């Protein structure tokens, strides 16, 4: 399934899509596959498979802790593709979330080819804006991959127009200025940003950075097409006494958030 | 003059913020507005006579410019095979290094933009001290990010920053050095960009920092070029500088770029030796990639993960380098060579003994390079060395290296010329 189909399906059900993030390789490659599959089983519509990177500058301490652990354990880009393949086999769209340098190093064209071969749906690039590089978008288009770029509360209307024109699949709206991590409240800026973004594009707009409970998911679902949760899932894994408990905790949170996006 | 294939000047950016294939802006969208604002304000300020006059006034009356060019006669004779070594004395700037040149300009820009808070990263602490100083002078709130490892190596500078009213935040992620301090500062900036300006310390990072910092450091080379002409009646054969991020090097190189007969040498931190893998020789041993918002040479593995750097000098202990240096390297206009810890410390010792100047360990890499150049070029050569900073902050490190001080910090009771002339502890 593509991300577009997943978002359309959710829209047809009169709700927002739920997007869940976990880094590949934490607590292990197999462990991350199990947790991502459990997430899908419990109601997540689209999964983001994080590619561990040594300098995750937009991530807060929760994700960085997990990613550091994945790297120390030797997780490679090839492992990430293996996770994507296993997760995509469930039928849910799997997009890779990656900083640019690991993809650049692998080679934009080679990564697009191998990700498509693994059944991946696309890539979210948190530190690559569409105007920063001219290799990624053509490579992704050639292999039918979604290119998901971020818009921020500080983005001008002109940049929102430029960014959304380069997006395929959906647009990732960062709800607050800041790094990843759960927050008590959804930023006021989120609704305004979604509204400005929707004025520029017909693509679905998903909101991320800070979502950790059903109430927040319901709130965002009131104005956005998708709700992204990441750090909250990673925290469940970090705090679990063992891998099995971590998978169960991820599934439990996914269930809560899935209920949240279905609230009327 | 070297030219690009398109016929432009070697340094002419083919796109804003690009140096050939290097530079650019690889950052989260949330930072783009602030970078655009900084670029816009800087471009306007650079053409505003009021702004440039205020900066000139500060450089003259507060920092102490122009800094002198000192002829190092005894060093030349004893250490550089008789080649004429001239020291550009950036160590004599207020706060003890070239860093103040950049910071005064960026702090003025911060006020011009109307922000009240500045953040900065620091390795050895020189940029942090300079930023804290400018913030105190201009009444700005100041937060400095510094790797935990570096707060230990440079405790004196941490105290200085705190005395100046700055908050020093130790960074305990990753390698706990400069690389991670930059990550944390960028995270702060993403979060607080509406109120905060990031006073970047070197010619790396996303556009406009490589250009902005280069322009603010150009004064070093502009002065040095005229001073060497006045003193010797000719241009030097070589200009030498240490390269971590590369701001002091680009600062002194830039005025000489068009002088094709002047060789430009950047000396990187070779740490334990490039062959050991424990070093910070980014251009020598790195490969092109993206780190901290720009494409440049960097130390990375096959997966594009940053490799941690190592150097006795906290200020050079960085796995990246400014994009303009990468372009100068590829264009063949500048040559970059590694200098290992032992070689740098020997040059440090020699300058102390021959000239009565305690150099920063960073700058000692350039001094070691000048020794090599003296051997290569012979006694008729004129070599300008950028003495980018003074070594007060490094006394502890150096005293332990030479066995004057033990690990507990106790000084040997028989401190003598012999003691500090011996082998490393």
């Amino acid at each position: 399934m593509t991300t577009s189909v997943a978002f359309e399906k959710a829209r047809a059900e009169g709700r927002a899509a739920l997007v869940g993030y976990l880094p590949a390789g934490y607590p292990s490659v197999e462990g991350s596959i199990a947790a991502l599959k459990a997430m899908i089983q419990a109601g997540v519509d689209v999964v983001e498979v994080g590619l561990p990177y040594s300098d995750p500058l937009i991530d807060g301490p929760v994700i960085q802790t997990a990613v550091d652990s994945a790297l120390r354990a030797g997780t490679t880009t090839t492992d990430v593709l293996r996770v994507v393949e296993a997760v995509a086999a469930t039928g849910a769209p799997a997009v890779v979330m990656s900083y640019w340098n690991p993809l650049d190093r692998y080679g934009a064209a080679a990564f697009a080819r191998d990700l498509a071969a693994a059944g991946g749906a696309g890539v979210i690039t948190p530190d690559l804006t569409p105007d920063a590089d001219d290799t990624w978008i053509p490579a992704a288009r050639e292999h039918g991959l979604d290119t998901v770029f971020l818009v921020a509360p500080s983005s001008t209307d002109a940049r929102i127009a430029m960014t959304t024109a380069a997006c395929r699949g959906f647009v990732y709206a960062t709800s607050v200025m800041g790094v990843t991590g759960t927050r008590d409240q959804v930023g006021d800026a989120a609704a305004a940003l979604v509204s400005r973004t929707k004025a520029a594009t017909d693509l679905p707009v998903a909101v991320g950075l800070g979502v950790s409970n059903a109430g927040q998911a319901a709130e965002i679902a009131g104005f956005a097409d998708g709700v992204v949760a990441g750090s909250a899932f990673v925290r469940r894994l970090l705090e679990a006494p063992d891998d099995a408990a971590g998978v169960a905790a991820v599934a439990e949170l996914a269930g809560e958030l899935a209920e949240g996006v279905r609230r009327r | 003059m070297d030219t690009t294939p398109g016929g432009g000047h070697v340094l002419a950016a083919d796109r804003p913020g690009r140096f050939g294939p290097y530079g650019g802006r690889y950052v989260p969208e949330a930072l783009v507005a602030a970078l655009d604002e900084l670029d816009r304000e800087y471009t306007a300020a650079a053409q505003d006579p009021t702004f440039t006059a205020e900066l000139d006034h500060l450089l003259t009356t507060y920092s102490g410019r122009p800094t002198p060019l000192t002829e190092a006669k005894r060093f030349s004779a004893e250490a550089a095979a008789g080649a004429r070594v001239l020291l550009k004395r950036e160590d004599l700037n207020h706060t003890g290094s070239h860093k103040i040149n950049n910071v005064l300009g960026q702090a003025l820009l911060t006020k011009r933009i109307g922000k009240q808070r500045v953040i900065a990263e620091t390795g050895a602490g020189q940029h942090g001290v300079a930023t804290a100083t400018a913030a105190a002078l201009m009444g700005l709130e100041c937060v400095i990010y510094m790797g935990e490892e570096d707060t230990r190596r440079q405790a004196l500078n941490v105290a200085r920053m705190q005395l100046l009213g700055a908050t020093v935040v130790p960074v305990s992620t990753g390698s706990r050095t400069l690389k991670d301090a930059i990550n944390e500062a960028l995270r702060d900036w993403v979060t607080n960009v509406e109120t905060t300006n990031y006073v970047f310390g070197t010619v790396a990072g996303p556009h406009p920092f490589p250009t902005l910092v280069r322009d603010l450091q150009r004064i070093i080379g502009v002065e040095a070029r005229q001073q060497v002409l006045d003193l010797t009646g000719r241009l030097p054969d070589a200009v030498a500088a240490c390269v971590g991020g590369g701001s002091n090097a680009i600062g002194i190189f830039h005025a000489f770029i068009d002088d094709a007969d002047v060789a430009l040498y950047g000396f990187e931190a070779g740490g334990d030796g490039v062959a050991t893998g424990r070093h910070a020789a980014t251009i020598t041993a790195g490969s092109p990639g993206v780190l901290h918002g720009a494409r440049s040479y960097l130390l990375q593995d096959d997966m594009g993960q940053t490799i941690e750097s190592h150097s006795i000098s906290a200020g050079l202990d960085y796995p990246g380098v400014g994009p303009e240096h990468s372009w100068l390297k590829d264009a063949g206009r500048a040559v970059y060579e590694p200098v290992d810890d032992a070689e740098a410390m020997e040059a440090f010792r020699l300058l102390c003994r021959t000239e009565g100047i305690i150099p920063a360990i960073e700058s000692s890499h350039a001094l070691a390079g000048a020794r090599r150049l003296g051997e290569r070029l012979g006694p008729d050569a004129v070599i300008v060395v950028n003495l980018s900073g003074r070594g007060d902050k490094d006394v502890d490190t150096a005293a332990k290296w030479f066995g004057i001080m033990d690990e507990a910090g106790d000084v040997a009771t028989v401190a003598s010329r012999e003691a500090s002339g011996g082998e490393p502890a």
Side-chain angles (χ1 to χ4, degrees):
Chain A
M1 195 190 301
T2 66
T3 51
S4 299
V5 170
F7 275 93
E8 276 164 23
K9 189 164 157 283
R11 184 178 294 187
E13 292 174 10
R15 63 176 178 89
L18 178 62
V19 182
Y21 163 95
L22 284 176
Y26 185 82
S28 63
V29 172
E30 294 308 321
S32 60
I33 291 170
L36 283 158
K37 282 184 173 174
M39 193 186 256
I40 294 163
Q41 185 75 32
V44 166
D45 300 294
V46 176
V47 292
E48 295 179 11
V49 180
L51 192 153
Y53 177 53
S54 53
D55 296 271
L57 63 84
I58 201 176
D59 284 309
V62 170
I63 289 179
Q64 189 168 20
T65 300
V67 160
D68 281 348
S69 170
L71 285 175
R72 277 200 306 276
T75 306
T76 66
T77 305
T78 306
D79 291 328
V80 175
L81 291 168
R82 189 154 66 83
V83 172
V84 167
E85 188 163 25
V87 174
T90 65
V95 294
V96 167
M97 164 78 90
S98 181
Y99 290 90
W100 179 236
N101 197 50
L103 302 192
D104 182 67
R105 187 70 174 166
Y106 195 95
F111 188 78
R113 178 197 65 210
D114 291 354
L115 178 61
V123 182
I124 304 170
T125 49
D127 66 341
L128 189 78
T129 54
D131 55 340
D133 170 271
D134 50 18
T135 62
W136 173 239
I137 292 172
R141 295 281 178 275
E142 188 183 336
H143 294 281
L145 295 173
D146 290 338
T147 49
V148 180
F149 297 101
L150 277 56
V151 291
S154 61
S155 302
T156 60
D157 287 345
R159 287 197 62 81
I160 288 176
M162 181 276 293
T163 303
T164 55
C167 285
R168 292 289 185 278
F170 64 100
V171 181
Y172 194 123
T174 50
S175 63
V176 289
M177 296 297 284
V179 298
T180 60
T182 59
R183 289 174 175 81
D184 293 339
Q185 296 185 325
V186 176
D188 291 340
L193 176 60
V194 170
S195 156
R196 289 205 295 139
T197 307
K198 284 182 149 313
T201 182
D202 292 331
L203 285 171
V205 180
V207 169
L209 294 191
V211 179
S212 64
N213 60 50
Q216 289 173 329
E219 185 186 348
I220 291 173
F223 58 81
D225 306 303
V227 177
V228 185
S231 293
F233 282 118
V234 178
R235 186 185 295 278
R236 298 282 172 122
L237 286 183
L238 285 171
E239 291 175 351
D242 57 54
D243 291 4
V247 169
V250 162
E252 182 189 37
L253 177 62
E256 286 172 21
L257 297 177
E259 180 273 315
V261 299
R262 286 170 172 80
R263 276 187 205 166
R264 297 298 177 104
Chain B
M1 186 172 78
D2 294 80
T3 57
T4 61
H9 188 282
V10 65
L11 292 173
D14 53 0
R15 282 188 278 165
R18 287 277 181 178
F19 305 93
Y22 302 109
R25 189 186 275 174
Y26 301 81
V27 295
E29 170 64 19
L31 288 180
V32 170
L35 290 164
D36 277 343
E37 176 183 55
L38 193 61
D39 191 23
R40 198 168 55 240
E41 292 287 341
Y42 165 65
T43 304
Q47 291 163 13
D48 176 353
T50 310
F51 181 87
T52 53
E54 192 175 358
L55 179 57
D56 286 348
H57 182 74
L58 282 177
L59 289 172
T60 309
T61 65
Y62 186 73
S63 181
R65 301 209 73 87
T67 58
L69 189 72
T70 299
E71 176 135 28
K73 286 185 179 167
R74 279 175 29 82
F75 183 82
S76 298
E78 287 192 29
R84 195 169 177 189
V85 174
L86 306 173
L87 306 174
K88 180 58 177 167
R89 298 294 304 280
E90 291 302 294
D91 61 315
L92 293 179
N93 275 305
H94 178 50
T95 72
S97 82
H98 70 291
K99 295 290 188 185
I100 194 79
N101 306 332
N102 169 40
V103 160
L104 288 173
Q106 288 209 52
L108 280 179
L109 259 182
T110 304
K111 289 188 70 175
R112 186 183 169 100
I113 293 169
K115 293 181 175 177
Q116 289 300 313
R117 177 175 181 264
V118 290
I119 54 171
E121 82 294 344
T122 199
Q126 296 293 64
H127 177 57
V129 168
T131 305
T133 299
L137 177 68
M138 298 186 201
L140 301 167
E141 183 189 347
C142 180
V143 176
I144 305 293
Y145 290 90
M146 188 169 188
E148 207 172 46
E149 168 72 16
D150 292 338
T151 62
R152 274 195 294 271
R153 285 195 280 192
Q154 304 290 349
L156 187 61
N157 269 342
V158 174
R160 289 168 78 192
M161 287 181 259
Q162 289 174 338
L163 290 170
L164 291 162
T167 302
V168 180
V169 181
V171 175
S172 57
T173 52
S175 59
R176 302 170 189 227
T177 59
L178 181 56
K179 168 180 89 77
D180 304 284
I182 293 176
N183 287 336
E184 281 305 318
L186 284 167
R187 290 184 176 116
D188 180 315
W189 206 28
V190 171
T191 308
N192 300 298
V193 68
E194 277 181 30
T195 60
T196 300
N197 190 31
Y198 184 2
V199 177
F200 205 76
T202 189
V203 290
H207 175 66
F209 288 120
T211 307
L212 168 60
V213 177
R214 187 267 318 278
D215 289 356
L216 290 168
Q217 294 293 0
R218 274 191 92 245
I219 186 76
I220 304 171
V222 169
E223 286 177 7
R225 189 175 183 282
Q226 189 58 51
Q227 287 167 327
V228 72
L229 283 171
D230 291 346
L231 181 71
T232 68
R234 69 176 183 96
L235 289 170
D237 297 286
V239 174
C242 63
V243 179
S247 72
N248 90 84
I250 213 79
I252 196 163
F253 285 176
H254 209 258
F256 294 96
I257 296 268
D258 290 342
D259 301 316
D261 293 337
V262 179
L264 305 177
Y265 283 91
F267 293 98
E268 304 191 297
D272 293 346
V274 172
T276 67
R278 289 179 52 84
H279 62 84
T282 306
I283 292 180
T284 305
S287 55
V290 169
L291 176 65
H292 294 145
R295 177 175 296 280
S296 192
Y297 280 85
L298 66 113
L299 300 177
Q300 60 180 332
D301 67 15
D302 290 343
M303 257 186 59
Q305 308 290 349
T306 311
I307 294 172
E308 289 180 12
S309 57
H310 294 277
S311 170
I312 190 171
S313 161
L316 302 183
D317 197 350
Y318 179 56
V321 66
E324 195 166 1
H325 285 292
S326 297
W327 182 226
L328 287 173
K329 190 261 188 198
D330 284 6
R333 181 61 191 96
V335 174
Y336 297 85
E337 297 178 7
V339 164
D340 65 25
D341 289 351
E343 198 181 355
M345 293 312 293
E346 175 59 9
F348 174 102
R349 186 185 74 84
L350 283 163
L351 194 77
C352 292
R353 295 308 187 85
T354 58
E355 301 292 341
I357 297 170
I358 300 178
I361 296 177
E362 286 84 355
S363 315
S364 301
H365 288 69
L367 291 164
R371 298 189 68 205
R372 272 189 214 167
L373 293 175
E375 297 284 347
R376 277 182 221 162
L377 302 174
D380 295 332
V382 174
I383 302 166
V384 175
V385 178
N386 197 15
L387 200 68
S388 56
R390 68 182 187 222
D392 302 36
K393 69 184 170 59
D394 296 320
V395 165
D396 190 68
T397 302
K400 284 172 184 162
W401 175 273
F402 292 117
I404 296 169
M405 190 186 281
D406 63 22
E407 281 304 315
D410 293 327
V411 178
T413 48
V414 189
S416 71
R417 296 176 74 89
E418 289 69 33
S420 55
E423 290 301 305

